[in-house]
Amino acid sequence: MPSFERLNAYQPYALAALRIITALLFIEHGTMKLFAFPIPQPGLGDSLPPMLLAAALLEVFGGLAILVGFLTRPVAFILSGQMAVAYFMAHAPSGFYPAENGGEAAILYCFIFLFLVFAGAGAFAIDKRR
């Protein structure tokens, strides 16, 4: 049976990869709402309702903080809560199962951010330099 203990040395780098890729994907959700980039957010009109504007700003600026690893734990806590609220307000009313209501991404973001609250930023983070 192979031993995976040697992989423990790479844990901070794997955590950083998870943090960075999650942040880039999360920022994209915000830019879709704010700038219609790379595509417009489906179902949105010309102006954002105040709650979606707040969500978009959290996605862009919170995502940037997570990307560079700045105040990772408190920002991740806020974003985890945002995704829990998004799931229950926007997805759950459309059906019980996440595959039915389109809420898989919100659940994954919620729990990845919650994980970052406890695990920290990993390698390549501004938090490591403070």
Side-chain angles (χ1 to χ4, degrees), residues 12-28 62-70 72 109 112-113 116 120-126:
Y13 305 105
L15 179 56
L18 177 68
R19 172 180 53 84
I20 291 165
I21 296 302
T22 300
L24 289 170
L25 293 171
F26 200 64
I27 291 166
E28 184 178 50
L64 286 170
I66 296 292
L67 178 68
V68 298
F70 179 68
T72 302
Y109 281 124
I112 290 171
F113 290 134
L116 291 176
F124 315 118
I126 291 174

Side-chain angles (χ1 to χ4, degrees), residues 13 27 44-45 65 71 77 93 101-103 105 114 117 120 123 130:
Y13 305 105
I27 291 166
L44 285 184
L71 299 174
F77 181 78
N101 65 33
L114 187 61
V117 171
R130 298 186 308 131

Side-chain angles (χ1 to χ4, degrees), residues 3 12 14 20 25 27-28 31 34 38 45 54 74 76 79 85 89 93 95 99-100 106 116 123 127:
S3 172
I20 291 165
L25 293 171
I27 291 166
E28 184 178 50
T31 61
L34 290 175
L79 297 181
V85 169
M89 287 186 71
E100 174 187 7
L116 291 176
D127 289 348

Side-chain angles (χ1 to χ4, degrees), residues 4-80:
F4 293 102
E5 292 299 315
R6 290 179 286 158
L7 294 177
N8 289 343
Y10 300 100
Q11 185 271 340
Y13 305 105
L15 179 56
L18 177 68
R19 172 180 53 84
I20 291 165
I21 296 302
T22 300
L24 289 170
L25 293 171
F26 200 64
I27 291 166
E28 184 178 50
H29 283 276
T31 61
M32 286 171 62
K33 291 176 186 78
L34 290 175
F35 310 117
F37 178 82
I39 62 169
Q41 177 77 32
L44 285 184
D46 290 336
S47 65
L48 283 176
M51 189 171 292
L52 280 182
L53 177 60
L57 292 173
L58 279 170
E59 288 163 0
V60 170
F61 291 107
L64 286 170
I66 296 292
L67 178 68
V68 298
F70 179 68
L71 299 174
T72 302
R73 291 176 193 254
V75 171
F77 181 78
I78 291 166
L79 297 181
S80 178

